[in-house]
Amino acid sequence: MSESKSTNIVWHQGTVERPQREILNRHRGFTIWFTGLSGSGKSTVSVALEERLHGMGCRTYRLDGDNVRSGLNRDLAFSPEDRIENIRRIGEVAKLFRDAGVINLTAFISPYRRDREMARALSSDNDFVEVYVDAPLDVCEQRDPKGLYKRARAGSIPNFTGISAPYEPPEEAEIHIRTGESSVDECVEQIVAYLLANDYIESGLVETAGDG
Amino acid sequence: MSESKSTNIVWHQGTVERPQREILNRHRGFTIWFTGLSGSGKSTVSVALEERLHGMGCRTYRLDGDNVRSGLNRDLAFSPEDRIENIRRIGEVAKLFRDAGVINLTAFISPYRRDREMARALSSDNDFVEVYVDAPLDVCEQRDPKGLYKRARAGSIPNFTGISAPYEPPEEAEIHIRTGESSVDECVEQIVAYLLANDYIESGLVETAGDG
C-alpha cells in the first residue's frame, strides 16, 4: 500500500486550490486528531470543540465512528488489517478536508502509534494536531457510556482496546488533555488556547464571518 | 456490502450538524456529479465551474482522479470490482462533504448507471445533481489530452471506456451539456443557471461572503 496501483493519471491544476479556499474561509484547513481509550471523552470533547470553533465562524467537520463506520468504512470489520485500513482511509479523508480548507476533527481510538503516524505523514508541517485524550482505564470503564467494557469483560467483544488489545499512548502529541481531572469546557479551552497561540485560528474571526 | 459490518456503534448527536454548517456557509451542501467519456471535458468544466461558484462565495471542493486515485483509493486498480469500490467510496466521501455543507464536484468517468445510482442513493432529495458531459467518442478521441485513447487503441490499456468497455449514458441526468457544441463558459453558465433556478445557490451570495 506504499505505492499507488492507479496509473494513467495526469495532474490537472485547478484555478481554485487550497489557498483560495482558505482565504475565503479566513482560516487554514487542518486536522485535529483525537486519540484515546473508549470512554475517554474523544467524542464529547470533539463535539464541544466543534461547537466552539463553529461559533467563532470556522468551517468545521467531524469524522467519527458514526459517519465513517456506517458509510465509507462499512466494508471493514475489526480485524488487525481492517483496523489499519480504517485509519488509513480516515487519514486520507482528513487530507481531502484539509485541502478543502475545512478544520476537521477526527475522533477514533486509533490505538497504534504507527497508524497515527501514517495519518500524520499525509499532512504538511503544522496541519495535523494530535490530541491525546487521557483518562485512566478504570475511569473509562466506570463511565462505559456504550456498555462496551462490560461486554468486553464478558468476552463478547474480542480485541477490545485496553482490555484485550493494547493502547499505545502518544509520546509527542501536540496537546494532552486529562478528562478525569478537567471538565469538558476546560479541555476545550485548553485546545482553543493552543490553536490561538500557534496561529491555527484567529480570535477576531467571529466578528466578520457568518453575519449578513 | 449492502449492510455494515461495523457493530458497537452508538449515535452521538452533535450540536453542530449539517443545518448549522449550511447556515454559516449561506448555501446548502450538495454534489455535482459529472459523468462522461475520457476527454469529454469533465475535469475542465468542473474546474471552471468551481472557479465560478467560489467567486460567488460558495464553499466548494472538487473530487477527481488526481486527489482520490492517488490517496484514498490508491489500493484500487481498474478491475470491475475495484471500479465499483472506487465509485462507492467516492459516493461516500461526497456524502461526507454534503454533510459538511460543502458543494462538492466529482469528475469521474463513472460509466455504469448502477454505480452512479449507488452514489445517488446515498443522497437526500435534491442534493445530487448529475451532469452528463456529452461529447461524441470521435471528438474525445481527437482531443485525447492524456494520450490514453492512443494507448487503448494500441491495446496497452485494457477495459478502456468507449473502446473496450461500455459507457452507459445517463437517462435522466439533471443537466446535459454538450462540450462538442458549446464552449466551456457556455457549459458553466448552463449549470449555474440550473442551480440558480432550482434554488441550490443564490445569486446574492457574492456580496456578503468572503469580504473582510
Side-chain angles (χ1 to χ4, degrees), chain A residues 62-75:
Chain A
R62 216 172 55 250
L63 295 164
D64 58 25
D66 299 320
N67 53 23
V68 171
R69 275 286 187 183
S70 63
L72 177 64
N73 291 358
R74 66 185 303 160
D75 56 320

Side-chain angles (χ1 to χ4, degrees), chain A residues 11 13-31 93-104 122-129 200, chain B residues 50 54 60-62 67:
Chain A
W11 178 254
Q13 185 70 18
T15 313
V16 178
E17 298 292 343
R18 182 170 174 175
Q20 288 77 34
R21 299 183 188 113
E22 291 178 332
I23 287 168
L24 183 61
N25 286 351
R26 295 200 197 84
H27 60 74
R28 297 158 53 194
F30 61 94
T31 296
V93 172
K95 182 179 181 178
L96 296 175
F97 274 98
R98 289 195 294 274
D99 197 29
V102 172
I103 302 174
N104 54 98
L122 298 174
S123 69
S124 313
D125 277 352
N126 292 328
D127 64 9
F128 189 95
V129 179
Y200 284 94
Chain B
E50 185 183 21
H54 179 84
T60 57
Y61 192 60
R62 215 173 56 249
N67 53 23

Side-chain angles (χ1 to χ4, degrees), chain A residues 200-211:
Chain A
Y200 284 94
I201 52 173
E202 292 174 39
S203 58
L205 202 60
V206 68
E207 274 85 43
T208 50
D211 305 319

Side-chain angles (χ1 to χ4, degrees), chain A residues 36 39 48 66 78 83 88 122 140 150 154 178 185 200 202:
Chain A
D66 299 320
F78 293 89
R83 282 172 180 266
R88 185 191 74 82
L122 298 174
C140 296
K150 199 174 173 189
R178 291 175 178 81
D185 282 350
Y200 284 94
E202 292 174 39

